[in-house]
Amino acid sequence: MSSQLIDIPALKARRNVNQRKRAPKALRIPLIAGGATLAALGIIRRSPLGIAMAAGGGLLVYRGITAKGGWSSSLIYVRKAVSIDKPPEELYRFWHNFEELPRFMRHLRSVRSTGRGLQWVSAGPLGKSFSWDAEIVEDRENELISWRSLPGSQIENQGSVRFQSAPEGRGTEVRVELMYQPPAGKLGAAFAMLFGEEPEQQIREDMRRFKELMEAGEIATTDGQPHGRRSKITTMLKSASGYGRTDEQMGAQRVVS
Amino acid sequence: MKALCWYGKEDVRVETVPDPKILNPHDAIIEITRTAICGSDLHLYDGFIPTMEAGDILGHEFMGEVVDTGSEVKNLKRGDKVVVPFTIACGQCFFCKRGLWSACDNTNPNAWMMEKLYGYSGSGLFGYSHLMGGYAGGQAQYVRVPFADVGPLKIPDGVPDDKVLFLSDIFPTGYMAAENCEIKPGDVVAIWGCGPVGQFAIRSAKLLGAARVIAIDRIPERLQLAERGGAETLDYSRCDDVVEELKFRTGGRGPDACIDAVGLEAHAMTPSGIYDEIETRLFLETDRPMVLRQAIQACRKGGIVSIPGVYAGILNKLNFGAAFGKGLTFKMGQTHMHKYMKPLLQKIMDGAIDPSEVISHRVALRDAPRMYKVFRDKQDHCTKVVLDPKAA
Ligand SMILES: NC(=O)c1ccc[n+]([C@@H]2O[C@H](COP(=O)([O-])OP(=O)(O)OC[C@H]3O[C@@H](n4cnc5c(N)ncnc54)[C@H](O)[C@@H]3O)[C@@H](O)[C@H]2O)c1
Ligand SMILES: [Zn+2]
Ligand SMILES: [Zn+2]
């Protein structure tokens, strides 16, 4: 599916488009399987070496899962689709309430209407944040919304969301396309920290949260549930990943009332 | 509260942890009155399931009393007695609406991990690794139950816990395994594994009209229990060739349906079993599909192979050609719990079945670490362990 806004053939023709390198699928599965058994075996040993093996195994699983090329500061293009068991009107209406977008977009702190358009503020690592102004390019009721950052923005971007009714009461197919130019230099590094190695996954997670809110009325979470003592390694790995707001920080926003 | 936490292979401990609290509007907090150890928990205990973290609370078979409800839970109130299904489902998505409850789209916060491994993610599960959602489990004094207005089944007053506890997993699991066999009059069903799941598959196959059930295991007390449930038995440790034996007993045609109620940790001393042992130790294989191979080989042409036993990863040397050559149908997966709980409660109330007959041990929660080992090693005639979190 192509968009009026994002000209994919032209985009692909550009030489600096981020060629996303994936670990070949054939390699990824053994990586995951090997990681799982390595973790299992490491746990058998329960010695310092065993624990290291378990952690290494866990990392292998993780690497297998996320295997991809690194972050590049070239142009990023992402598209994702999700089916939601609600009519297009309802989904369009919720999305069109831009101030509400941070309810399911983990990396956004706020969206505000200004005289010029919309001001987006993202939640950055270490208290840093980015902001940019955008204008609505096209707005077709119950069908499509597209936007574009205004000249001079820290992060140049444009995107669209479309809502297409699926046949036989299968709800709505929602498709998001996003294109952006990550900033260079120090800003770029902070930006990469915020969005992680995988902008694609961030978008998919945002869309999953949108779907959960719309269908189930809340976003599934385990943040804040009890557990026994965690190992130092787990705690370290946890705090080293997952920028953006936690479910707990998103708090009451996670819910449709 | 007290809860059983996982710390590594063969290392589970009862610890004091914070009480759970309501996190979402469809949550409820349940004070647990009975909880059980499942064969699935043994895969965690043996370190077969990846993405476990030290400190994770285990347990997915539990029941108890509602002590608190979120703002959106209208059908439950304090004091209600409920059994909770081990799969968590939203009740609103494409899959829930089609009765595919364990495929719910909206309950796994870590769905992305599953998507990378399996293409798509199933529902969240209690106490069963971060891959399956990372939800704290119910081998504890209290548990948080998401979508409490969708899953938990209210139990009428006066019904003993032990009779209904297994509506949380193994009874529906055995039942769905048998239902998946599409049993017709005269059918012979062969069932590998006479653990709790196998026992309920045997009894359900009988309820659904199977003419004969042949149950396969090697543990004497489990084979006896199978016999009591109406099955003929086959001790595989005293049999050179299970497939040939089944052929012989079915007049050369083979069983109409085969149920693998063993899963990825099948035990065997046959060449194929030893092969799996070596491969899994060398990280070349994650699962040991020894029973699955036999079931495929034994099943009659055009028959059904139903797989409630859990598989998680990569299977080697699977005789898929035999499956194709005979035109077999495969049915498998986590149980669509929500579909079965109510009708099966009715069967219990009617006296058609008494699930408590599989219980061999009733102990306090603090004895759980020891009982994991006893259950895993089939010591002490152990067939099913029920834990009482309130016992001192
Ligand atoms: N699909 C689901 O939703 C679901 C739900 C619950 C349990 N399960 C799975 O069902 C399986 C059985 O669970 P359980 O609680 O009965 O476990 P269990 O470990 O108590 O029973 C397994 C039985 O299989 C027998 N066995 C081992 N190797 C065998 C072989 N080669 N041939 C025949 N029998 C063999 C063992 O002796 C044992 O009695 C497990 O894999 C469990 O994870 C699946
Ligand atoms: Zn279970
Ligand atoms: Zn659902």
Side-chain angles (χ1 to χ4, degrees):
Chain A
M1 143 165 296
S2 80
S3 139
Q4 282 86 351
L5 187 78
I6 298 177
D7 184 352
I8 298 167
L11 196 72
K12 283 191 177 141
R14 287 178 65 159
R15 282 194 48 226
N16 65 346
V17 165
N18 186 21
Q19 295 292 336
R20 315 192 58 73
K21 281 174 262 138
R22 272 170 183 278
K25 276 231 173 70
L27 200 131
R28 263 197 296 159
I29 289 177
L31 215 55
I32 290 159
T37 30
L38 188 57
L41 206 90
I43 289 156
I44 302 174
R45 303 200 170 196
R46 286 177 53 197
S47 59
L49 175 69
I51 291 165
M53 274 173 80
L59 273 178
L60 251 181
V61 172
Y62 184 77
R63 286 288 311 168
I65 286 172
T66 61
K68 275 204 179 166
W71 178 265
S72 133
S73 69
S74 52
L75 192 67
I76 307 275
Y77 168 71
V78 180
R79 57 174 199 163
K80 280 287 160 212
V82 67
S83 289
I84 304 184
D85 232 21
K86 292 283 171 190
E89 305 81 61
E90 205 173 313
L91 304 180
Y92 169 88
R93 215 179 311 128
F94 191 90
W95 194 292
H96 204 273
N97 211 350
F98 299 107
E99 280 86 354
E100 301 281 295
L101 291 180
R103 287 172 87 166
F104 63 89
M105 295 191 174
R106 196 185 280 280
H107 296 81
L108 277 185
R109 181 165 293 150
S110 64
V111 179
R112 278 191 316 120
S113 291
T114 66
R116 296 174 68 206
L118 296 167
Q119 190 198 34
W120 306 63
V121 181
S122 75
L126 314 167
K128 287 210 183 74
S129 64
F130 299 95
S131 78
W132 63 94
D133 292 314
E135 61 179 355
I136 300 299
V137 179
E138 201 178 349
D139 187 351
R140 274 187 264 144
E141 200 174 353
N142 306 334
E143 256 180 61
L144 165 106
I145 309 167
S146 68
W147 59 91
R148 178 167 58 206
S149 59
L150 292 172
S153 292
Q154 275 183 326
I155 301 158
E156 271 182 64
N157 67 89
Q158 51 181 293
S160 68
V161 54
R162 40 178 88 230
F163 307 94
Q164 191 179 35
S165 195
E168 304 292 333
R170 283 168 173 243
T172 304
E173 293 171 3
V174 182
R175 291 185 173 79
V176 167
E177 291 184 82
L178 263 186
M179 187 172 75
Y180 53 90
Q181 178 77 57
K186 258 206 189 123
L187 195 62
F191 182 83
M193 258 170 100
L194 171 59
F195 285 95
E197 283 194 343
E198 250 191 312
E200 220 173 292
Q201 184 175 320
Q202 308 294 356
I203 305 299
R204 194 185 49 227
E205 290 306 299
D206 284 349
M207 288 172 76
R208 188 196 318 287
R209 281 186 285 268
F210 178 52
K211 174 182 162 78
E212 289 179 3
L213 264 182
M214 293 293 90
E215 287 184 346
E218 65 182 42
I219 293 171
T221 187
T222 56
D223 271 11
Q225 72 174 9
H227 53 75
R229 271 173 305 109
R230 294 294 193 202
S231 81
K232 288 215 171 75
I233 298 173
T234 318
T235 318
M236 251 163 54
L237 283 176
K238 276 253 156 108
S239 63
S241 66
Y243 288 97
R245 297 170 304 154
T246 62
D247 286 356
E248 231 164 351
Q249 286 161 343
M250 289 172 79
Q253 284 188 317
R254 274 199 330 260
V255 173
V256 163
S257 43
Chain B
M1 67 164 179
K2 296 270 185 241
L4 183 98
C5 304
W6 183 96
Y7 284 96
K9 186 180 146 84
E10 292 172 1
D11 182 2
V12 292
R13 308 173 206 163
V14 175
E15 304 266 282
T16 302
V17 303
D19 287 350
K21 49 184 198 284
I22 302 273
L23 299 176
N24 263 340
H26 295 92
D27 288 355
I29 304 295
I30 311 288
E31 180 176 9
I32 295 169
T33 53
R34 284 287 185 284
T35 173
I37 306 176
C38 178
S40 299
D41 293 328
L42 298 178
H43 307 321
L44 304 173
Y45 188 66
D46 290 336
F48 269 82
I49 308 289
T51 73
M52 289 296 293
E53 285 174 19
D56 285 348
I57 300 172
L58 300 189
H60 59 267
E61 300 183 352
F62 53 88
M63 62 181 297
E65 274 178 34
V66 176
V67 291
D68 197 4
T69 52
S71 57
E72 289 298 314
V73 179
K74 313 279 190 218
N75 59 331
L76 295 180
K77 58 177 194 312
R78 221 187 139 82
D80 281 348
K81 174 153 274 190
V82 292
V83 176
V84 179
F86 78 99
T87 53
I88 303 169
C90 79
Q92 304 294 329
C93 69
F94 176 92
F95 297 96
C96 285
K97 285 179 183 167
R98 279 159 185 76
L100 301 169
W101 301 88
S102 72
C104 175
D105 258 345
N106 292 325
T107 54
N108 184 353
N110 301 324
W112 66 275
M113 289 192 207
M114 281 282 261
E115 284 175 359
K116 298 279 172 163
L117 284 168
Y118 295 166
Y120 304 93
S121 172
S123 73
L125 311 181
F126 288 101
Y128 216 73
S129 86
H130 291 264
L131 201 55
M132 314 284 182
Y135 288 98
Q139 285 162 5
Q141 290 178 314
Y142 295 89
V143 68
R144 164 193 168 237
V145 176
F147 295 104
D149 51 338
V150 181
L153 176 71
K154 266 197 251 187
I155 302 300
D157 286 343
V159 185
D161 283 9
D162 286 354
K163 280 202 172 190
V164 291
L165 172 60
F166 302 139
L167 288 171
S168 59
D169 177 355
I170 51 174
F171 183 16
T173 295
Y175 193 86
M176 183 169 110
E179 195 184 73
N180 277 341
C181 293
E182 296 173 11
I183 294 167
K184 296 179 188 58
D187 273 4
V188 184
V189 180
I191 301 179
W192 278 255
C194 297
V197 171
Q199 297 295 341
F200 285 107
I202 291 165
R203 285 156 180 77
S204 303
K206 279 288 182 184
L207 285 173
L208 290 165
R212 290 170 66 196
V213 174
I214 305 175
I216 307 158
D217 206 309
R218 74 187 160 97
I219 314 289
E221 61 274 12
R222 295 185 177 211
L223 289 169
Q224 276 160 25
L225 196 56
E227 229 159 62
R228 246 190 285 149
E232 306 161 31
T233 57
L234 196 172
D235 180 344
Y236 71 87
S237 68
R238 294 158 177 262
C239 168
D240 294 338
D241 189 333
V242 170
V243 175
E244 277 307 317
E245 176 68 20
L246 286 171
K247 241 186 211 177
F248 186 76
R249 291 203 197 179
T250 55
R253 183 188 289 128
D256 301 278
C258 292
I259 296 179
D260 172 356
V262 180
L264 60 82
E265 287 191 73
H267 156 278
M269 290 317 290
T270 62
S272 128
I274 293 162
Y275 166 85
D276 289 330
E277 190 69 33
I278 295 167
E279 293 277 285
T280 46
R281 293 230 182 272
L282 294 176
F283 322 131
L284 297 172
E285 183 177 47
T286 56
D287 300 3
R288 303 199 296 239
M290 137 93 216
V291 162
L292 188 53
R293 287 189 199 115
Q294 282 183 3
I296 291 173
Q297 207 66 20
C299 196
R300 77 148 161 83
K301 291 178 280 184
I304 294 175
V305 176
S306 162
I307 314 169
V310 164
Y311 289 91
I314 313 294
L315 280 60
N316 288 350
K317 297 247 158 82
L318 199 64
N319 40 341
F320 211 71
F324 181 87
K326 294 192 285 181
L328 300 184
T329 297
F330 286 82
K331 301 249 183 136
M332 64 189 89
Q334 303 287 358
T335 308
H336 300 303
M337 292 297 301
H338 301 56
K339 177 170 155 193
Y340 296 100
M341 291 173 76
K342 216 174 184 175
L344 294 184
L345 171 64
Q346 195 54 52
K347 288 207 194 300
I348 296 170
M349 307 285 285
D350 293 346
I353 185 166
D354 177 3
S356 67
E357 80 174 301
V358 305
I359 303 173
S360 59
H361 291 69
R362 294 175 173 85
V363 299
L365 177 64
R366 78 177 128 72
D367 295 322
R370 185 170 57 85
M371 292 314 295
Y372 262 79
K373 188 164 165 36
V374 170
F375 181 48
R376 198 267 317 264
D377 297 339
K378 278 102 191 153
Q379 296 164 349
D380 197 22
H381 301 270
C382 184
T383 49
K384 185 79 183 176
V385 182
V386 170
L387 308 169
D388 179 353
K390 290 186 166 178

